[in-house]
Amino acid sequence: MWQSSPPGSIYDYIRVASFSIGPDGLIEQWSRRAAGLFGIAAHEAVGRDPVETFMPAELRTGGHRRVGEILDGKEWTGLVPFRMPGEDAVHGLAEVYVMPSETESGEPAALCIVVDVRALRRIETDLAASQAIFGQSPFGFVLFGTDFTVVRANQRFATVFGGQADDHRGRTVDDYLARPEAERLTATLRRVLETGDSVTDLQLVGTAPGDSESRHWSMNLYRVHSGAGRPIGIAGLATDVTRRHIAAREAASARRNLALLNEAGARIGNSLDLETTARELLGVAVPGFCDLASVDLYQGLLTGDEAPPGSWGSLHHESVGGSAELRRVAFASAVSEVLPATASDSASTDGATDPPALGAVHRYSFNSPCSIALRTGQIKDVPGDDRGFVQATLAVPMVAHDTVVGLVQFSRTKGSEPFGERDRALATELAARAAVCIDNARLYRREHERALILQRSLLPPGDPEAAGLDIACRYLPGNTATEVGGDWFDVIELPGHRTALVVGDVMGRGLRAAVAMGELRTAVRTLALLDLEPAEVLSALDEVARGLGTPGVSTPSDGLGGAQWPSRASHKAPDADLSEVYLATCVYAVYDPVTRRCTFANAGHLPPVVVEPGEPALLLDVPPGMPLGVGGEPFEEVEVELKEGALVALYTDGLVESRDHPLDEGLRALRNALIEPELPLEDVCDHVLTTLDTRHGEDDIALLMARIQGLPVDAVGDWRLPREPRSVGRARELARRQLLAWELDDLVDTTELLVSELVTNALRYGEGEIRLRLLRDRTLVCEVWDAGLVQPRRRRARDTDEGGRGLQLVGLLSAAWGSRRTPRGKTVWFELPLPDGEPAAERTVEQLLSMF
């Protein structure tokens, strides 16, 4: 078919046909379209009566009349039912336009234009449906031509961008979108037109006329073709997805905030150090939440001041001139221009133009947002800096238990999303979590320091000294990440220049263990001064340990309002709280420098190590016994005679125990570390601690070493006296002679007097042979031994009494005195300080009168 109009014209759709009727009423011409419409070829239709051929029988009478009228020169238009010839004739309806005409001879004829009504109805339906979809759609519909101008837009599209639908004809994408978005849409339209590939969910951002807020659209694009398949444009369906975008952004923000809170719970508070906790907070916040952040803590909090509430951090309490002193303890930045702090600080510190440096102590001015946040405990917005680098800052007080411990500032730079309400809530939650961790760290540090002070106060001060012993000791508490333990050691001077060496370990950790250790140490000192045997000391100490932490059981009142005392059986009560039971291990040793004998008793502790000159280190075979607090088993003693220069080491399990190796291996390593006992004792201690894998921090370590140095023979005077009165004079003479030999002339008179009193008492109240012994070391000790069991008791004599003042005299003139039991009786002793070259102080009248 030849045509000059483009393919796809309206005639291709409505199927227009034509034929002509001659003067005789028969078909004279039959077009090819008519043949296609009615299904009859031209040679079959020409010469036939159209009424008889195509019209039903019941309509033929009216049809002949109509044909006659037409041939008479009358035009006619109407609907004519028709049927196809044949048995299976198809019935249809045609719209016919009949125009009268003439032949060459002037006879009447007619030209008929025929349209298939079915095709017209389909076109009308398609147009109506297209108009309904295009016009009534709740989405913006727009049709772009091949030149990318708007050919048609529906009213919904016009509602968004203003005016009527027809006003948008001829517009381009530049009339609706900013240049970057317009160029992106134009490139997409060109690609769809060229390739025919549709585009789904193209995201576009722009602003509607009269609206300053950005809108988000999702656009679907597809190429439109004519009936002949020729591309005639691009159809676009635009949907406003701003709410969906906001909802998705809020959902993403909520997921991010939840992830940040989960991360904060995992990362903040892992350390009990204040500065580390502040850095952990910023590690979570930057860059996941903000671009810049800093943390300021109160200076009083960091220095450990026990200030009353309101002095440095309670709500509504700040210094009149501004905030209290704070220290910048942490800063983090996620931008290339790393600043020392948030820009808002430059205007908030006391007249300072620069933000505080990390570690600097500063104040915030009274009316600054930061100071207000600290006073009120409420989050405050801080304006951006003058340079335009910081967009916004949140000053968030760190509040824990109604106490402000510091301030954290979160900042976002230009180009970042501004802070919203969700962000403010998240910032408050992050600051609160960190504040609780910081306050917990503060409380832990305070309690830990108190426990350490308590524990240190219960250990021997300085370097302990003892007669006939060179002593060195080490105590290494667990580090700040662990609790205080119950390890202790002690060096106790006993009468007769003897020395008690003690090492113990209370099972458990914390302040309660340290307090229990203090109670046991005090009990050991008390029992040691009673001069009991080591096994007796541990037995009594076991009773003390079983009573620790056990609630007292009230006894019936005596009716006199007396106090109610706990029963000894209270620790055996069936409802006793087992968590309050204290167990401890202990080694107790007593060394006599005169005989160089050391007596050991062990209560479940690790064995002592003994190293004699030229010999390998050995674990002393002392029966371990049960730990203190278990009860029910007696303790045994082992007496060992040690050589001059021998080394004794007492220690706690922290020195040799580890999760990485068995105990036997740790004990073997300790013995191997003592291969050079002749070194200075301090060096030996250091060598042991550096050689052994002590894993310091897992447990406390106590190490007590003593090198045997017996008293020289010429420092001891020992005599036995018969039980007779003249022994008193003999004792005075022996004491005088010995003191003169030691060049202690200043002590002769006092010593003679006191020796006379003790020997006289031994003769009067004691039994058996009398033994007199003088010991010179750091002090002078005089001992009088007898076989009597009755212990002397000091009493105040009445004015009329002739005697009873001997022990008063001993107590007044000596530095110390006492008595102790021995295997064969008792020993009464006194001690005098060695003269320092200065004249002795004169006695007061009261002191002199108290002798009589």
Side-chain angles (χ1 to χ4, degrees), residues 439-456:
D439 193 54
N440 290 341
R442 175 186 68 86
L443 295 175
Y444 171 81
R445 184 179 65 180
R446 184 186 67 183
E447 295 303 319
H448 186 73
E449 289 176 352
R450 289 178 176 178
L452 282 179
I453 292 173
L454 172 62
Q455 192 170 42
R456 294 293 179 86

Side-chain angles (χ1 to χ4, degrees), residues 182-454:
E183 292 177 351
R184 191 161 65 92
L185 179 56
T186 300
T188 305
L189 291 173
R190 182 176 292 107
R191 185 173 68 253
V192 172
L193 182 63
E194 292 174 354
T195 64
D197 297 333
S198 61
V199 172
T200 303
D201 197 21
L202 175 65
Q203 296 292 320
L204 299 172
V205 180
T207 56
D211 191 357
S212 59
E213 295 185 2
S214 296
R215 310 291 295 177
H216 295 260
W217 293 286
S218 173
M219 200 164 192
N220 298 330
L221 300 172
Y222 59 93
R223 190 169 68 183
V224 180
H225 304 85
S226 67
R230 178 177 59 87
I232 60 174
I234 304 99
L237 177 65
T239 305
D240 191 338
V241 293
T242 303
R243 291 184 178 178
R244 187 176 71 187
H245 181 80
I246 294 175
R249 185 175 61 189
E250 291 181 350
S253 176
R255 288 193 297 270
R256 182 200 65 187
N257 293 353
L258 182 60
L260 279 175
L261 289 177
N262 290 336
E263 185 180 4
R267 293 179 57 184
I268 300 177
N270 293 324
S271 169
L272 288 173
D273 180 74
L274 302 179
E275 291 83 352
T276 301
T277 302
R279 289 192 293 268
E280 290 171 347
L281 168 62
L282 300 193
V284 173
V286 179
F289 177 68
C290 62
D291 302 315
L292 300 169
S294 64
V295 176
D296 298 322
L297 296 180
Y298 278 108
Q299 178 70 359
L301 176 75
L302 295 169
T303 56
D305 294 345
E306 293 296 332
S311 297
W312 50 261
S314 293
L315 297 181
H316 309 292
H317 289 84
E318 284 290 331
S319 58
V320 176
S323 70
E325 286 188 342
L326 298 107
R327 185 194 304 171
R328 177 138 300 177
V329 296
F331 172 78
S333 172
V335 295
S336 57
E337 300 86 350
V338 179
L339 301 178
T342 53
S344 61
D345 294 329
S346 60
S348 61
T349 52
D350 279 344
T353 58
D354 296 325
L358 189 63
V361 178
H362 63 97
R363 295 176 183 268
Y364 288 111
S365 59
F366 185 80
N367 292 322
S368 66
C370 294
S371 183
I372 296 174
L374 290 169
R375 288 198 304 272
T376 62
Q378 301 295 323
I379 186 172
K380 295 297 178 183
D381 294 305
V382 181
D385 62 342
D386 297 335
R387 294 169 293 177
F389 181 75
V390 174
Q391 176 183 219
T393 298
L394 296 178
V396 188
M398 306 174 73
V399 184
H401 310 112
D402 292 332
T403 298
V404 180
V405 299
L407 182 77
V408 57
Q409 297 183 68
F410 302 108
S411 299
R412 288 181 179 174
T413 57
K414 295 293 186 180
S416 299
E417 186 178 353
F419 290 113
E421 288 302 318
R422 290 180 181 269
D423 296 324
R424 294 169 66 89
L426 177 61
T428 303
E429 179 65 22
L430 288 175
R433 292 194 178 195
V436 171
C437 294
I438 287 175
D439 193 54
N440 290 341
R442 175 186 68 86
L443 295 175
Y444 171 81
R445 184 179 65 180
R446 184 186 67 183
E447 295 303 319
H448 186 73
E449 289 176 352
R450 289 178 176 178
L452 282 179
I453 292 173
L454 172 62

Side-chain angles (χ1 to χ4, degrees), residues 96-110:
V96 180
Y97 177 50
V98 182
M99 297 173 289
S101 63
E102 293 180 354
T103 63
E104 294 180 355
S105 59
E107 293 180 302

